Amino acid sequence: MSTVLFASVVRVRDGLPLSASTDYEQDKELQDTKRHLKGLSKKLGQFPDRCTLKTGPYNVNFTSALGVGYLMVCTSNYPNVLAFCFLDELQKEFIVTYDPKRIGSAVRPYSFIEFDTFIQKTKQRYNSPRSLSTKINLADMQTEIRLRPPYQLSAEDLQAVNGFSARSASKYKNITPSQMLEPVTLSGIVSCVLSVLCGGLNLLRGVHAIESILQNDDEDFNYVIAFFLGTAACLYQCYLFFYFSVWRNSKSFLALALICLSNMYLSELRNVWQVLFHVAVGAFMTLQIKLRQPLGKAPDYNV
């Protein structure tokens, strides 16, 4: 039977337990898994914000946000999408219930033990999937997991959090979803080179515009702003191409709009072909960002 067995809420910066579900399971393997959970809670800041650890017949799943971590132990056959929906509900309720200042100033373990009531009620609902009233949100979570699948922790990570290899643990600190994008294509490399070229041209013209202003007081300083905004937009598109970001496609379109607007303003200093070149490169870069999607798809989970 697939079930949620245990859940806890901890403060990320020091692993201080804030609340936890009450359970009376005496299974040795479960108790060992909970000890791993305790070790992980003290090192959450070293790992990505969404992780899964498989320990024999059990899985440990956790998320972290706004300085608070939410951890749970479930059977290994419990669907990932349900596990992270469960943690998402805990996170939303905890955020709206408790003030961040109170969380940050807590000094005693289990200062928010009354939250156990909500954990127990939520656990009971998620242990009876047919009675869940949140099925409408499962599709959203499944999409989120496909775009940002949880990082799979290993035995090496456990050794790291238990003090055997602190250096090994630190290498996971900066893991981000950008490493899960599809491989770079030749057209993507070409678009990046052209985008950097446009950014360099804008930067060079911007420096020359500053020199002109220093020599002639009647020069328009807005041209300098337009050149530097064009440079920033080009370089930001390169960043979006290589690194995953929330609303990545929307940000690339906003950068393209900024490129278009800056070139419209600079049309007095550039001929039509130069303006078209900058806009075309920006559009080509936007297309490459859209085409380079997160790598892989999560499997379907049956509820």
Side-chain angles (χ1 to χ4, degrees):
M1 182 179 178
S2 59
T3 55
V4 176
L5 300 169
F6 178 77
S8 64
V9 181
V10 303
R11 192 165 59 195
V12 171
R13 75 167 187 256
D14 54 8
L16 180 73
L18 303 175
S19 186
S21 61
T22 305
D23 71 298
Y24 304 98
E25 289 282 349
Q26 299 300 319
D27 180 79
K28 184 179 183 302
E29 286 185 295
L30 178 57
Q31 296 305 317
D32 289 340
T33 300
K34 288 172 66 176
R35 279 193 287 273
H36 294 324
L37 194 78
K38 186 176 181 181
L40 280 171
S41 67
K42 296 179 179 179
K43 300 289 184 180
L44 288 184
Q46 295 186 7
F47 299 108
D49 61 355
R50 177 181 293 156
C51 294
T52 294
L53 169 68
K54 298 183 183 296
T55 60
Y58 304 111
N59 283 355
V60 174
N61 301 289
F62 67 82
T63 62
S64 58
L66 301 176
V68 180
Y70 307 86
L71 306 93
M72 57 98 77
V73 179
C74 61
T75 53
S76 59
N77 59 346
Y78 196 78
N80 253 7
V81 64
L82 278 182
F84 285 102
C85 274
F86 171 79
L87 292 174
D88 189 57
E89 280 204 39
L90 297 190
Q91 176 183 321
K92 289 177 179 177
E93 182 67 18
F94 197 82
I95 287 174
V96 300
T97 304
Y98 300 105
D99 184 81
K101 292 182 179 179
R102 185 183 168 193
I103 296 171
S105 61
V107 294
R108 292 187 303 171
Y110 304 105
S111 298
F112 308 93
I113 193 61
E114 68 276 5
F115 191 70
D116 170 47
T117 303
F118 180 81
I119 295 177
Q120 294 289 11
K121 289 180 180 179
T122 308
K123 190 172 76 169
Q124 290 174 6
R125 286 198 301 112
Y126 276 83
N127 283 341
S128 303
R130 292 182 180 178
S131 66
L132 277 176
S133 60
T134 56
K135 286 188 175 181
I136 190 171
N137 295 325
L138 294 181
D140 294 337
M141 180 56 70
Q142 195 160 2
T143 300
E144 177 70 13
I145 289 177
R146 179 178 66 81
L147 293 176
R148 285 206 313 122
Y151 183 80
Q152 301 293 321
L153 295 179
S154 64
E156 181 185 1
D157 300 309
L158 276 184
Q159 291 178 346
V161 300
N162 286 322
F164 293 106
S165 178
R167 184 174 297 179
S168 296
S170 64
K171 71 180 181 181
Y172 298 98
K173 185 174 182 179
N174 294 320
I175 289 178
T176 61
S178 63
Q179 294 173 300
M180 296 179 287
L181 294 172
E182 292 177 350
V184 177
T185 61
L186 178 61
S187 58
I189 294 174
V190 171
S191 65
C192 281
V193 171
L194 291 175
S195 190
V196 170
L197 174 63
C198 289
L201 291 173
N202 283 324
L203 181 62
L204 186 62
R205 291 292 302 274
V207 172
H208 288 164
I210 292 175
E211 292 176 351
S212 297
I213 290 175
L214 294 176
Q215 295 174 2
N216 303 297
D217 294 336
D218 57 342
E219 292 288 337
D220 190 353
F221 187 76
N222 289 333
Y223 288 138
V224 176
I225 297 175
F227 280 125
F228 284 116
L229 284 178
T231 298
C234 291
L235 296 181
Y236 188 60
Q237 282 199 322
C238 291
Y239 170 83
L240 291 173
F241 178 77
F242 285 107
Y243 296 96
F244 182 88
S245 174
V246 179
W247 303 107
R248 183 164 160 264
N249 291 338
S250 299
K251 290 176 181 177
S252 69
F253 279 108
L254 288 174
L256 174 60
L258 187 57
I259 290 172
C260 293
L261 290 173
S262 62
N263 277 279
M264 286 175 59
Y265 190 81
L266 296 170
S267 59
E268 294 181 3
L269 304 180
R270 287 175 169 163
N271 60 44
V272 175
W273 295 109
Q274 289 174 326
V275 171
L276 288 177
F277 174 74
H278 283 265
V279 172
V281 169
F284 185 45
M285 190 74 233
T286 302
L287 176 62
Q288 295 305 311
I289 293 171
K290 184 174 178 60
L291 292 176
R292 193 179 183 220
Q293 293 299 311
L295 183 62
K297 293 184 178 181
D300 291 332
Y301 300 95
N302 296 319
V303 177

